[in-house]
Amino acid sequence: MAILIIGGSGFLGTELVRQAVVAGHTTVATYATRPGSSRDVEWHSLDLRDPESIEAVVAEVSPRVVINASSGRADWSVTAEGPVRLAVAAAKSGSRLIHVSSDAVFSGASVHYDESCLPDPVTPYGAAKAAAETGILPMHPDAVVARTSLIIGDGQSVHERAVHELAAGARAGVLFTDDIRCPVHVADLASALLELATGDASGIHHLGGYEALSRHELGILIARRDGLDASQLPTGLRAESALPGALDIRLDSRATQRTLRTTLRGGRQFLTPAA
């Protein structure tokens, strides 16, 4: 099966590329600034702000599935409008579309969120992600919108790097004890996305880990796994900071988990070294 991975050189995209190649899929990936390191795929430069570029790449590759793992942060043209342009191109080519969204589409007012909950973002990034969701499904009704949470790896995620820098005193800041999410391992997330891509799923799906953890609890687990002094990690309250954003967002992924072979592990499970 031919798969086109948008944002294939990013953290999640790199793992998607790896797993797709191992599974024997014909894999093509895109990048915004520089290609990834995998030599087993064909790389295309792609600007999600350019509709003609998007259509040209999708038409040339003619993929069975497009997985959008790109990250444009709060850039509205990339994060909000780009995925809609991609949905139009995928629908035109007859390709399935899997779009990776975020728990940032929620305010945290309800704490627990399943797939039926409507977005109510409180940050520019969350608003851009919510706008993408709203635009994609009318343009490509068979598309999958997969919301996820903090993505953790084996030392390579931004969250893990931040913990190392904080523990070493090389970075200013704190780990909030009241900022709660449902972190997921990048390998679990990539596997689940590929399952959705190769099946017949559509609509909204949640792909968060099954355990809710604060940023500080997550940091302690990372520090212990990596042999760092967890007592050196500074703590604080997001509610007392000037940083915008939701406090407590817990993705309820149980409905999607029941349809998957992949287990979306909790943070304590994938960050605790095996005995």
Side-chain angles (χ1 to χ4, degrees), residues 38-118:
S38 176
R39 297 181 179 179
D40 297 313
V41 305
E42 179 182 332
W43 291 96
H44 289 259
S45 174
L46 181 65
D47 185 347
L48 285 175
R49 297 169 296 183
D50 182 357
E52 292 184 0
S53 176
I54 294 171
E55 289 209 6
V57 169
V58 173
E60 179 179 346
V61 176
S62 190
R64 175 69 183 87
V65 180
V66 178
I67 303 178
N68 181 25
S70 63
S71 176
R73 303 184 187 278
D75 185 324
W76 189 267
S77 183
V78 175
T79 302
E81 298 173 356
V84 180
R85 299 182 187 106
L86 187 60
V88 171
K92 184 177 179 179
S93 71
S95 305
R96 282 176 49 73
L97 175 64
I98 312 297
H99 171 72
V100 180
S101 190
S102 167
D103 58 10
V105 301
F106 298 122
S107 69
S110 297
V111 178
H112 298 276
Y113 292 90
D114 64 18
E115 287 88 344
S116 68
C117 295
L118 297 177

